[in-house]
Amino acid sequence: MTIATNPSVRSQSAARATASTPAPQAIEIRSFDGAVGAEVLGLDLSQPLSAEDFARIHRAHLDHHVLVFRDQRITPEQQIAFSHRFGPLQIHVLHQFQLAGYPEVLIVSNIVENGKPIGLGDAGHFWHSDLSYKDKPSLGSMLHAQELPAEGGDTLFANMHLAWDTLPTHLRDAVAGKSAEHTYLSKYAELQKRSPWRPNLSAEQIAEVKPVVHPVVRTHPETGRKALFVSEHFTTRIIGMPEDESQQLLAELFAHSVRPEHLYRHVWAEHDMVFWDNRSLMHLAAGTPDHLRRKMYRTTIEGDVPF
Ligand code: SIN
């Protein structure tokens, strides 16, 4: 039996269905040749994301660890909304560099206006995994290019699963069952001496970044893969080890992690949006010549307590 429907009711319900269930986009995931990363083609992040597209992006993120979305003309609200699909967002301790009206967005920039830095200019100066100094470090971060220099400004990523998979046996034995301390303040004074971007921290800010302890080798909570989880920037010592041995071991782990075969170097193009997995990778900002301007918007998604 066919039930006749008033055409205006039919078109209203079709419009409602379209608004609530976005159509899938023609996405293609193109893997890079090297150790890590893929480009996502055919996805416009300014449009609502269907459940199917979200599932494909989620899977690709777990498989490739860095996803590059080209030419995304998105607003801060849209970046926040897309980031939020993956979990709650974290607010960076340097509140000075939040985008006005959007505390979830950290401005990463070397631009100084009227004598004042507009963003954190030396973010990523040392290899690190974002917010590893928190009890719940970041799941992943999204960085959206706002203004790019004519040269420099690349971001490097190191695959910490590969770092673990290829770790020599004597280093595997040395880290078995070990934990390490992560501290936001570890290199703060050193960075403060040479840059205008590191304000003195208030007592509240210092209280927000108390040292934490995490396993040296973590298990990815979604894929079950193991990854080395120590970094040059935030890891200060291996717990229960004499200081000199701990420093020596950390230096060997850092050197191994960033071997060229573990790396992907992202050369930014206008309006790129890059989404990486902080549970699988470390990253480094390669640096921008002082006379050139670079401005990026970063959102950071909260992850799990590492195990
Ligand atoms: C960061 O460490 O989050 C910033 C990386 C970059 O600016 O390339």
Side-chain angles (χ1 to χ4, degrees):
M1 186 175 65
T2 309
I3 300 173
T5 314
N6 174 336
S8 88
V9 172
R10 209 167 44 228
S11 66
Q12 278 168 27
S13 51
R16 264 201 309 278
T18 309
S20 58
T21 50
Q25 301 184 49
I27 302 182
E28 189 192 334
I29 313 278
R30 197 174 290 166
S31 173
F32 296 145
D33 285 339
V36 64
E39 193 168 315
V40 180
L41 303 163
L43 185 67
D44 178 354
L45 291 173
S46 72
Q47 299 304 312
L49 201 60
S50 68
E52 294 94 316
D53 287 346
F54 176 75
R56 285 195 69 193
I57 298 303
H58 184 198
R59 185 67 251 164
H61 190 244
L62 296 175
D63 291 343
H64 301 286
H65 319 306
V66 180
L67 297 180
V68 176
F69 305 85
R70 300 287 187 192
D71 198 27
Q72 298 296 325
R73 314 288 172 129
I74 55 169
T75 62
E77 284 95 342
Q78 288 165 336
Q79 179 173 349
I80 291 169
F82 180 50
S83 307
H84 209 252
R85 297 283 298 256
F86 294 87
L89 302 190
Q90 294 171 300
I91 310 284
H92 197 274
V93 63
L94 291 181
H95 303 161
Q96 294 84 340
F97 299 132
Q98 288 170 0
L99 180 64
Y102 302 98
E104 305 90 340
V105 175
L106 175 75
I107 304 176
V108 173
S109 179
N110 64 350
I111 299 171
V112 177
E113 273 169 7
N114 303 320
K116 270 185 72 182
I118 66 160
L120 183 58
D122 60 0
H125 183 81
F126 296 103
W127 283 101
H128 67 288
S129 169
D130 284 332
L131 279 62
S132 76
Y133 50 83
K134 303 288 272 185
D135 288 326
K136 286 185 174 178
S138 165
L139 174 158
S141 304
M142 297 195 190
L143 199 59
H144 186 222
Q146 305 294 316
E147 193 173 339
L148 293 173
E151 62 182 272
D154 301 349
T155 307
L156 278 78
F157 296 92
N159 185 334
M160 300 301 274
H161 295 303
L162 276 184
W164 167 250
D165 294 345
T166 59
L167 198 66
T169 309
H170 73 281
L171 290 178
R172 281 184 172 233
D173 293 344
V175 299
K178 291 277 191 292
S179 298
E181 184 181 75
H182 295 238
T183 314
Y184 177 71
L185 298 177
S186 162
K187 298 222 186 281
Y188 201 86
E190 182 184 337
L191 288 167
Q192 203 171 28
K193 265 193 223 131
R194 61 168 175 231
S195 87
W197 295 292
R198 299 276 165 175
N200 289 329
L201 298 173
S202 66
E204 289 78 19
Q205 285 173 310
I206 291 172
E208 264 184 57
V209 290
K210 294 207 184 81
V212 296
V213 170
H214 294 308
V216 170
V217 184
R218 74 178 291 183
T219 304
H220 194 291
E222 296 187 80
T223 64
R225 285 189 73 186
K226 288 193 184 312
L228 263 187
F229 193 60
V230 288
S231 78
E232 183 190 24
H233 194 159
F234 298 127
T235 312
T236 44
R237 65 193 177 97
I238 310 258
I239 304 296
M241 216 178 233
E243 180 60 14
D244 54 343
E245 282 180 40
S246 159
Q247 290 311 317
Q248 174 62 33
L249 179 53
L250 284 174
E252 289 183 56
L253 296 175
F254 299 156
H256 176 79
S257 301
V258 299
R259 290 172 67 97
E261 62 272 26
H262 300 158
L263 304 187
Y264 162 64
R265 183 182 196 105
H266 186 67
V267 180
W268 290 85
E270 294 296 320
H271 309 290
D272 273 358
M273 163 90 137
V274 174
F275 176 29
W276 65 86
D277 191 331
N278 282 306
R279 303 162 299 184
S280 302
L281 305 175
M282 287 196 298
H283 60 282
L284 175 83
T288 302
D290 286 343
H291 66 287
L292 297 175
R293 292 163 62 101
R294 180 177 189 264
K295 182 165 85 164
M296 324 290 274
Y297 287 167
R298 193 181 95 184
T299 42
T300 311
I301 303 147
E302 185 175 81
D304 303 290
V305 175
F307 59 90

